[in-house]
Amino acid sequence: SATTTRMRRASAARLAEELTTGSASTRDEARQRYLGLLSAGGCDHPMTLLKNAGVDLSRPETVLATVAQLDKLVARLEAEVLG
C-alpha cells in the first residue's frame, strides 16, 4: 500500500541519516542497531523491529529526516541543472 511504501522510505531516510552523520561513535551505534535490524529478520512486527533499530515512525523526527534527505537531493539537482 502507499502508506507502507511511505513508511519504508521514511525509515530508510532516518537510518541513512544516522549512519552517515554525527560522530564516529554515533555512526557506530547506528550501524550496530541497523545490523541488529537485519539479523532479526522477520521475527517480530516490522514497527517493533524498526523502533528497536532507533527508527520510531510515530515521531516527527523520522519524517523530518525524509524531508531533509529530499531537500539535499533537490539542492544537488538544482546545482547540476543550474550550475
Side-chain angles (χ1 to χ4, degrees):
S1 75
T3 301
T4 302
T5 300
R6 283 192 299 271
M7 287 184 348
R8 285 183 185 144
R9 287 182 185 148
S11 61
R14 180 66 181 194
L15 282 170
E17 178 186 28
E18 291 182 355
L19 289 166
T20 58
T21 61
S23 68
S25 64
T26 300
R27 291 190 314 269
D28 188 55
E29 289 171 13
R31 184 176 59 83
Q32 292 301 321
R33 289 194 317 271
Y34 180 63
L35 292 174
L37 170 67
L38 293 178
S39 67
C43 69
D44 204 344
H45 189 274
M47 295 294 281
T48 302
L49 294 172
L50 286 169
K51 196 171 191 177
N52 291 341
V55 179
D56 186 351
L57 293 173
S58 69
R59 300 189 55 94
E61 297 85 25
T62 304
V63 177
L64 292 174
T66 304
V67 172
Q69 185 179 41
L70 181 59
D71 187 48
K72 289 177 189 175
L73 291 173
V74 168
R76 204 166 100 195
L77 178 63
E78 286 175 341
E80 289 188 27
V81 171
L82 301 175

